[in-house]
Every structure is written in structure tokens, then in C-alpha cells.
Amino acid sequence: MSNRYAVILAAGQGTRMKSKLYKVLHPVCGKPMVQHVVDQVRELNIEEIVTIIGHGAEKVKAQLGEGSHYALQGEQLGTAHAVMQAESSLAGKAGVTIVVCGDTPLIKSETMEALFKQHEETGAKATILTARITDPTGYGRIVRNENDHVEKIVEHKDASDSEREINEINTGTYCFDNIALFEALKNVSNDNVQGEYYLPDVIEILKKQGEIVSAFQTDDLEETLGVNDRVALAEAERIMRSRINKGHMRNGVTIIDPGSTYIESEVTIGQDTVIYPGTILKGNTTIGADCQIGPHSEIDSCKVGDGTVIRQSAAFKSSIGCRVSIGPFAHIRPESDIHDDVKVGNFVEIKKAVFGNGSKASHLSYIGDAEVGSGVNIGCGSITVNYDGKNKFLTKIEDDVFIGCNSNLVAPVTIGKGAYVAAGSTITKDVPGKALSIARAHQVNKENYVDKLNLKK
């Protein structure tokens, strides 16, 4: 197998997106389009990737990092002009170069591998990725000769009536003999209405030199979709989401209603987990086996252990252990560490807190900036008072503590192991282990008070 190279075209601004965000950075299932393309290309045993950048160059480089070399197309003068910018990196190197657009997030590594294989087996100087489409209006048609090689690419406006009947189209992805590519690019002209240098002209140049131009036809038209506006972006999202959901289901995950379940590309899910409708799983979330997630839960960049149930709740950038019960209507905010066998009930919010094994906050509580031990019970309506208007302070609740309902723990404060806090208390001082702390005013009953009020009316 010859050396392989890749050129990713990612310089365009994408004016039809009508966005401040550069086109190739628009996300599809949580990952920028160009990142999808580069990730698939990386699976092809590529010697060197060169990404052509222009608009938003620094942001594209920041996204892709060291996984690519870069060439700047300062002025966008067409696709051939874009590839020319890779000359300093690739010219003169023997091998095969794939050219793929950064706005085609659905393209698969398997398809690109098949394109490489077709190119190498036919001895072609160029191989075009093609597809068949029911209505090819507006697309360049692939005209093949008697040897099934490509005779020419003819644009719709230039096609004869018989050529317009052809439904095999050029998708804009190519393999080239690398040396032949950069030699041919020197002869591409911009003598056209747009005054631009077009990559398909390389095909015509190679044909005039008597070289073989081949084509590989993919049977999946959807993966060739180029995203140029928000309508196409939504379509790419739908296709990618369906692809992701099917992958999880084939790996042993039950998704009750795939059409209403949104799972981003980096999420992993264990076997026999059930995902209910309306669930959104984002970021680098990992869900264990035998879990129940949803309905209507949002989990972003969390690690969730086996056997955990999360109902109608939201969790962000946190660790959640095994056999945990969360919800309904709970909120797990970033930097929380919830251990095994914990119960976080309805309308409970946890923020930047450690919550020990077997502890419970069953309803209507706020636990922020806290270290909660194991076997703790936090009663309804209890909160850690962690903020004085300028700074946050830590509350420590040691093992086997019982916090009565409607208690305020004013940080910094420590509740010792096995202690009890009476309902309705406002705790401002440390509580020793095994003590009962009562911090509330004595009850006073005013006899006949209502009658006296009525006499004043």
C-alpha cells in the first residue's frame, strides 16, 4: 500500500449559514463538522493530514489541535486554489491524497477506505467518490466510458439531454496520485464566470494526458451530504442522531423512542440500560450497565455507574455512582461526586459536593460546597448555607448524621459523626459527634390572641 495523505477543505466562512460561527465549526451531535471529518480520516492510516484554513483559522486550529498540519488560504479562490495551499507540505511526495470537504460530517472511514482501494486497484491517477440520486438536477454528472472509467464530469447546465438522464453524481470527494495532483494544479485556469480555480478541472487535465480516472459509487447517499445552511445542518443532525442511536441499540441498549432521544457522538452506554423518551446525553458522558435514564433527563459530561436510575432530572460534569436513585426533578450541578447507593429525590440540588455511600436527600434540599459522609439522612427543606455574598464556604457532615427537616447549616460548619440536628434548626457552630443540636427559639403560645385581634377591628 502506498503512502496516504489527506487534504481537508475548511477555509470557507459559510455565508448561507448566516452565523458568527464559521461553517465547519457548527456542531452535529455535539461535535464540530470538521472534527467529525478529521476523526474519520484518522482511521485510514494517513501519513499526514493538511487542513486548509481561512475564515476562523485560529478557532479551527484550536479545535483540531495537533492532529493536523495547516495551510492558510488567505483569499478563497475556489477548491483547486484551496488544495494548492497544501503544496509546501505535500508536493513531490509519492502516494495517494484524499481531498474531502470539512462540511461533510456524515462521511465514514469505511467509505473513504473503499475509495482508496478502488483507486489503488484500478491504477488511476484520480478516483471520484460518486453517488446515485433520484433527482440529480444541479449536480455534476459522471459520464463513464466502455471500460467503466470516468470519461468526464459534466455540469448540469452544460449537459446534453442524454447526459441529464444520468443520475450518478460527483460528491466532491476525491483520491489523487499525489504527484500528479500538484502537477495538474499548475495548469488549472480561472477562466470562468466566477474567476475561480475548480478542483474538478484536474480531472479534465488528467484525462487529456491519457490517464485513467476511476470512480467509486457509495450506496449511502446520506453520508455525502454537504452542509451549507441551517436546513442541511438539521438534516445532518437527524441522520447522525439516527446512526448513533442505532449503534447503541445494536450494542445492547434499549432506546424506547429513538426519534425523541438525543445522544451525542462521544457518549458511551453499557448493556441493558434503558433510555426513555426525551432524554439528552451530551459531552463525554459514560452511562453504565442496567441503568434507567429518563424520561426527560439531561446528562452532560457525567460518569454514571451501573444500576443507577435518573428520572426527569439534569446532571452536569459530575460523577454518579452505582445503584443511585436521582429524581424526579433533581439538579446535579458541576463537580459533584455522588457515591454508591445514594438517593437524591425530587427538587434536590447538589453542587460541588461529595455525597457518601447510602446517604439520602429525599426532597426539597440544597447541598452546595459540602462533604457529606456515608449513611447520612438530610431531611426535607434542609440546606447548606454556603455563600455570604462574596465567598463560598464548606459544610462537613460526617457519617451517620441525621439532619431534621427545614434545617439551615451555615458554613463553615462541621456536623460530627452520628449527630442529630433537630428540625427547624439554624446551625452556626460545629456539632459534636453523637450530640443533638437544637438551634431554634422556644415556642410561645399566646392564649386568646385571635380574639384580641378581632376586638381591634
Side-chain angles (χ1 to χ4, degrees):
M1 184 177 70
S2 59
N3 290 337
R4 292 178 173 183
Y5 311 100
V7 175
I8 313 296
L9 305 183
Q13 184 174 13
T15 55
R16 281 182 280 173
M17 298 295 288
K18 298 188 183 335
S19 174
K20 295 182 291 296
L21 183 65
Y22 303 106
K23 180 172 71 169
V24 297
L25 293 178
H26 278 266
V28 174
C29 291
K31 185 190 295 186
M33 289 191 283
V34 69
Q35 189 70 65
H36 280 289
V37 175
V38 170
D39 287 349
Q40 292 298 307
V41 167
R42 283 176 181 162
E43 298 183 14
L44 299 174
N45 193 28
I46 297 290
E47 291 284 328
E48 185 174 353
I49 299 173
V50 180
T51 301
I52 311 302
I53 53 178
H55 292 286
E58 293 306 314
K59 291 185 177 180
V60 174
K61 289 171 68 174
Q63 172 62 43
L64 299 179
E66 297 179 357
S68 172
H69 295 128
Y70 301 94
L72 180 66
Q73 186 187 21
E75 187 178 5
Q76 279 68 60
L77 298 176
T79 49
H81 179 258
V83 177
M84 288 176 193
Q85 309 314 304
E87 183 175 17
S88 61
S89 296
L90 299 181
K93 294 182 178 180
V96 180
T97 295
I98 188 169
V99 179
V100 58
C101 295
D103 62 0
T104 55
L106 301 172
I107 194 164
K108 300 175 186 175
S109 61
E110 295 88 347
T111 298
M112 290 186 282
E113 180 63 44
L115 181 66
F116 270 115
K117 184 177 179 181
Q118 172 85 359
H119 181 84
E120 291 163 352
E121 288 180 349
T122 58
K125 292 295 183 182
T127 303
I128 307 164
L129 179 65
T130 70
R132 292 197 181 274
I133 187 170
T134 303
D135 180 8
T137 302
Y139 289 93
R141 309 302 207 279
I142 301 298
V143 180
R144 294 180 183 252
N145 61 24
E146 64 277 5
N147 296 319
D148 208 32
H149 295 151
V150 175
E151 184 64 34
K152 61 180 177 178
I153 303 173
V154 58
E155 296 303 320
H156 179 86
K157 60 183 175 55
D158 300 322
S160 65
D161 289 343
S162 61
E163 288 169 339
R164 290 187 179 186
E165 294 298 316
I166 298 171
N167 65 355
E168 184 180 14
I169 63 165
N170 176 20
T171 68
T173 297
Y174 309 87
C175 273
F176 294 100
D177 175 275
N178 188 65
I179 292 176
L181 169 63
F182 285 97
E183 286 299 317
L185 284 170
K186 297 174 182 177
N187 298 316
V188 174
S189 168
N190 67 341
D191 185 16
N192 52 60
V193 174
Q194 299 297 326
E196 295 187 351
Y197 300 89
Y198 295 126
L199 192 57
D201 289 353
V202 171
I203 302 299
E204 184 178 352
I205 291 169
L206 292 174
K207 286 297 297 181
K208 287 180 178 179
Q209 294 173 352
E211 303 291 358
I212 294 174
V213 176
S214 181
F216 173 74
Q217 181 184 307
T218 177
D219 58 3
D220 184 358
L221 176 64
E222 288 182 335
E223 70 177 291
T224 68
L225 175 69
V227 175
N228 291 312
D229 58 23
R230 305 292 182 122
V231 175
L233 182 67
E235 180 67 6
E237 179 88 14
R238 180 191 65 79
I239 295 166
M240 181 72 75
R241 186 171 72 244
S242 176
R243 184 187 294 177
I244 290 169
N245 289 352
K246 287 177 181 177
H248 287 298
M249 289 187 283
R250 291 188 178 112
N251 286 331
V253 177
T254 296
I255 300 179
I256 301 298
D257 182 9
S260 65
T261 302
Y262 301 80
I263 303 175
E264 291 188 350
S265 58
E266 300 301 306
V267 173
T268 62
I269 308 174
Q271 290 184 354
D272 293 315
T273 284
V274 180
I275 310 295
Y276 288 92
T279 293
I280 302 171
L281 304 179
K282 302 170 68 176
N284 60 345
T285 290
T286 299
I287 307 290
D290 302 302
C291 295
Q292 297 179 45
I293 309 297
H296 304 292
S297 292
E298 180 180 2
I299 302 174
D300 186 351
S301 303
C302 291
K303 181 178 180 181
V304 179
D306 297 343
T308 286
V309 177
I310 302 177
R311 296 187 180 92
Q312 293 154 314
S313 297
F316 304 93
K317 297 179 180 177
S318 294
S319 176
I320 300 168
C322 298
R323 300 173 301 280
V324 174
S325 175
I326 295 178
F329 312 116
H331 186 186
I332 311 301
R333 289 171 58 189
E335 298 184 60
S336 296
D337 183 6
I338 298 172
H339 294 187
D340 298 341
D341 302 298
V342 164
K343 180 178 181 181
V344 179
N346 54 294
F347 303 105
V348 172
E349 181 176 355
I350 296 177
K351 189 272 293 186
K352 199 177 181 180
V354 176
F355 217 79
N357 290 349
S359 292
K360 300 177 182 179
S362 295
H363 29 234
L364 300 164
S365 294
Y366 169 71
I367 312 299
D369 296 281
E371 295 177 3
V372 179
S374 62
V376 171
N377 185 86
I378 297 176
C380 175
S382 296
I383 65 171
T384 59
V385 185
N386 60 329
Y387 184 48
D388 68 357
K390 292 184 179 179
N391 300 298
K392 301 289 180 70
F393 297 93
L394 181 68
T395 298
K396 293 185 179 180
I397 303 174
E398 297 182 353
D399 296 347
D400 303 316
V401 166
F402 183 94
I403 306 294
C405 293
N406 199 35
S407 294
N408 302 308
L409 309 180
V410 182
V413 70
T414 297
I415 313 300
K417 182 176 180 180
Y420 274 58
V421 173
S425 293
T426 296
I427 303 299
T428 59
K429 299 178 181 179
D430 291 351
V431 177
K434 297 186 178 180
L436 168 63
S437 183
I438 306 171
R440 60 194 183 204
H442 290 291
Q443 180 173 330
V444 177
N445 295 330
K446 302 286 187 177
E447 298 289 341
N448 301 316
Y449 183 74
V450 175
D451 291 338
K452 293 176 182 179
L453 284 179
N454 289 335
L455 289 173
K456 294 178 180 181
K457 291 181 179 179

